[in-house]
Amino acid sequence: MDEVTPSSLLIVPWEGSRTAADVFVSTSYIATLRAEYNFEFEAVVRRRGGVDTLLLPFARITDLFGSRIVSLPFCDYVTCSSPEGVAEAAELLQKTYPTRQIVLKILGEVPRLEPLGFTVMRRGDCHRIPLNATDEELWTRTSRAFRKGVNKALRSGLRVEEATSVDALQPFYRMLTDLRRQKFGILPQPVGYYEQLHSRFMNEGHGAVWLALLGDRPVAAACILEHGNSLYDKMGVSDTEYLDMRPNNLLLWEVMRRGRERGLEYLDMGLSPESNPGLIRFKEGLGGNATPVRYYRWLPQNHDSAQEAVLRETLSGLTAILTRPDVPESAVFAASNLLYRNFG
């Protein structure tokens, strides 16, 4: 009988994976988060015969809400090797950090976390659009409403450009700031975060800012990252004045079409919260296939829920004040730099 090599679970420093299947656990994305927010990253691994198998990456965060464990901050999800491995890693984190809140953002469902005291704090879906098809097949997979929007954008004279220069971040970030302030009353992520993405992805030929243009005027934009054999729609924005022209439809169609031409496997459209059925319908209309995303949370015995509620209400109120139309843009940017890491 062959001897079985014993294994052990360990927590080790972690810098991301160069061969990661998904962008959120890649070395480039983890370096972006470390550079912008100064998070400390570690991982639970299974070590057998001197070889480590990643079970769960995470960040140790200390902010207004105290000391927390998050897997991972400013990520839509983490793809893990197995539900069993996630549960084992979570149990080790509970024992190692018994006084810290733990949040796990998982692609898929892990029922074994619930007996450990974890509860589902957020539900949603990740939509991925398969690109291994002809243009005609891609087109017919989309909904009639989406195709009408693409055709309307073309009749309106819109065109799409793929830009890799850092200057392309300016119109993207302007629309992002306006959209978040005017429609949602929330702060934009700091421009430094997108500059870090540009440095580590676009400047290396692994992504671009896609612009929908009316003449020379950008009316929609998307930050698209490329990792492995896939594209990731990290953020899409538009100028509300031109929404009726359906610029986002044309922009996303071009991303899909050109991604197919490059032989890429899929376009990841990111997280759609269960509370936003309109967004889910739009992504389904692109031909996207949904995979569940679950955010699990465990609270230690010393957790003060009343204090957390007060802090969240205060931060929400402060954000609402800072995003009012009469607040100078410079103050909005300063507030974003100061406060945004608390939203991870």
Side-chain angles (χ1 to χ4, degrees), residues 83-85 87-88 91 109-118 296:
E84 294 75 17
E88 289 181 86
E91 194 167 10
E109 298 179 281
V110 188
R112 281 189 56 189
L113 288 173
E114 295 178 23
L116 298 177
F118 284 83
Y296 295 90

Side-chain angles (χ1 to χ4, degrees), residues 13 24 49 51-52 78 82 136 167 189 202 220 227 268 280 336:
F24 297 118
V51 177
D52 290 347
V78 171
S82 70
E136 182 179 359
D167 292 341
Q189 198 151 350
M202 301 164 195
H227 173 75
D268 186 305
I280 291 174
S336 178

Side-chain angles (χ1 to χ4, degrees), residues 239-267:
D239 188 324
T240 55
E241 185 179 345
Y242 297 90
L243 277 179
D244 189 55
M245 293 182 179
R246 300 294 187 264
N248 293 303
N249 292 51
L250 179 61
L251 190 153
L252 287 169
W253 168 246
E254 285 299 313
V255 171
M256 293 162 56
R257 190 181 65 78
R258 297 182 202 178
R260 184 206 67 78
E261 288 178 350
R262 295 172 190 164
L264 297 174
E265 184 176 343
Y266 62 81
L267 168 62

Side-chain angles (χ1 to χ4, degrees), residues 28 32 162-170 172 193-210 221-227 232-235:
S28 296
T32 293
E162 189 177 357
T164 57
S165 74
V166 71
D167 292 341
L169 288 175
Q170 295 178 9
F172 164 81
Y193 165 79
Y194 292 101
E195 290 171 344
Q196 293 290 343
L197 286 180
H198 182 274
S199 174
R200 290 174 167 79
F201 285 90
M202 301 164 195
N203 203 41
E204 299 296 323
H206 303 304
V209 175
W210 291 68
C223 177
I224 305 291
L225 306 181
E226 184 175 334
H227 173 75
Y232 294 80
D233 186 354
K234 195 65 189 74
M235 180 63 69

